[in-house]
Amino acid sequence: MASLAPASFGAALTAAHDASGAQHYPQGTLYVVATPIGNLADITLRALHVLQLVDTLACEDTRHTQSLLRAYGIDRPNARLLAVHQHNEAEAAQGVIARLVQGERIAYVSDAGTPGVSDPGARLVAAVRSAGLRVLPLPGASSVTTLIGAAGLVAEGGDGSAASAFVFAGFLPSKAGERDAAVQGLAQEPRAVVVLEAPHRIEALARALAVLGERRVTVGRELTKQFEEIATVPAAALPDWFAADRDRTRGEFALVLHPVAVDDGGAAEGERVLRLLLAELPVKTAVKLAAEISGAPRNALYETALRMRKDAGDD
């Protein structure tokens, strides 16, 4: 996390009040607040206002959150901080619900980024919503969207249009066999895929991803921090890329597998075969066989099949 003196945010706190103070903040509501993933300046004005406003602040780590608040010049007594983390989330959620029923405003923050995205928070939100209480999200920093925005995800081949879809896989399994199996699954996914990893496992992940060969991978290391590094290399070259500089294995990581290059010939053949099969077979069966025959991506063929059926119904 970047180090900035509390006084640096005095104007920001005033701006937060001026910009957000007149908005409506209902009582009995859980506010899910995104916090910076590194650079403290990546906080929203509305987040600053809500962190000052709420009655209780639920957080993944009370000590970490207290340090964050002090960096912004926000003074909250420890008694108003409530620990809600992966080991107690289900139980702690009941305490949060009890406070909400009493009309409290409660904010939840994880250590960094958006709660519930490879961080605690999802179980808490589910429990609060199941109790019929309101959840109000405050968007902000996320390593997922940060890296997607810097990766330049353009499908190679075809018309060169940007790849609009991606899959978020989060942290892959830590055990080698399970991780390798997960990578084999990702190899069948034609869309971009975002994965996260910790420094002590990044080299093992690099070796596992190397089987993807020439598929491009963008590595985001220490995103938004002082030593941020973003590089795109073929998957097969990942182990050597990390080995070339030991500093590259330090920090927190997000990686994005670029979309599979489009093969115009394979796509055209897949559509031709699919059209023939749809005349005789159900959609799922036709898609499965067309993918096996042509090598075209199954997901793309499935969307094509639905479009063909819709067009046929409109005639």
Side-chain angles (χ1 to χ4, degrees):
M1 180 177 296
S3 177
L4 294 173
S8 301
F9 288 95
L13 293 177
T14 300
H17 176 75
D18 292 344
S20 306
Q23 298 176 12
H24 180 52
Y25 298 92
Q27 294 179 305
T29 297
L30 175 67
Y31 295 83
V32 181
V33 182
T35 55
I37 59 176
N39 192 312
L40 286 176
D42 293 336
I43 188 78
T44 70
L45 295 179
R46 192 156 65 117
L48 287 175
H49 182 74
V50 166
L51 292 176
Q52 297 176 89
L53 173 71
V54 293
D55 302 292
T56 300
L57 189 55
C59 41
E60 183 178 359
D61 185 323
T62 57
R63 292 169 298 180
H64 180 95
T65 298
Q66 191 65 278
S67 296
L68 182 70
L69 295 174
R70 288 170 181 156
Y72 293 128
I74 299 174
D75 184 20
R76 299 303 301 262
N78 288 329
R80 286 297 183 177
L81 269 60
L82 181 66
V84 180
H85 46 73
Q86 63 176 338
H87 302 296
N88 76 343
E89 190 171 355
E91 179 182 355
Q94 300 309 309
V96 170
I97 290 171
R99 290 170 180 258
L100 293 173
V101 170
Q102 295 300 315
E104 284 194 19
R105 298 182 182 95
I106 300 178
Y108 182 73
V109 298
S110 57
D111 285 350
T114 302
V117 182
S118 286
D119 271 346
R123 289 187 176 89
L124 172 62
V125 168
V128 170
R129 291 179 62 85
S130 294
L133 298 166
R134 185 172 180 181
V135 176
L136 199 159
L138 275 67
S142 167
S143 61
V144 177
T145 52
T146 297
L147 185 60
I148 286 287
L153 299 182
V154 178
E156 296 181 349
D159 60 2
S161 60
S164 60
F166 68 89
V167 175
F168 176 59
F171 288 91
L172 299 188
S174 58
K175 294 183 178 179
E178 295 176 1
R179 182 172 53 241
D180 290 343
V183 170
Q184 290 300 321
L186 298 181
Q188 306 305 313
E189 173 55 65
R191 294 169 292 182
V193 182
V194 179
V195 298
L196 306 178
E197 193 52 274
H200 63 283
R201 290 201 300 261
I202 189 61
E203 290 179 288
L205 176 63
R207 291 191 294 271
L209 292 176
V211 302
L212 300 180
E214 292 303 307
R215 187 166 181 177
R216 293 183 300 161
V217 179
T218 293
V219 180
R221 183 178 75 86
E222 293 288 86
L223 292 172
T224 79
K225 302 176 186 178
Q226 181 179 357
F227 298 107
E228 174 183 272
E229 185 173 11
I230 300 174
T232 300
V233 298
L238 275 176
D240 289 340
W241 185 83
F242 280 106
D245 185 344
R246 298 311 301 171
D247 284 341
R248 290 175 177 170
T249 62
R250 298 177 181 177
E252 299 299 322
F253 295 87
L255 302 91
V256 57
L257 282 61
H258 286 237
V260 175
V262 176
D263 181 346
D264 274 354
E269 176 65 8
E271 186 167 338
R272 186 189 71 80
V273 173
L274 179 63
R275 190 178 299 277
L276 294 172
L277 293 174
L278 281 174
E280 305 293 337
L281 299 170
V283 169
K284 288 186 178 180
T285 304
V287 167
K288 179 177 182 294
L289 291 174
E292 292 176 354
I293 293 170
S294 68
R298 187 176 297 188
N299 289 342
L301 287 174
Y302 185 74
E303 293 179 2
T304 300
L306 295 180
R307 187 185 71 247
M308 287 179 174
R309 281 289 168 89
K310 181 180 178 181
D311 291 343
D314 291 340
D315 290 341

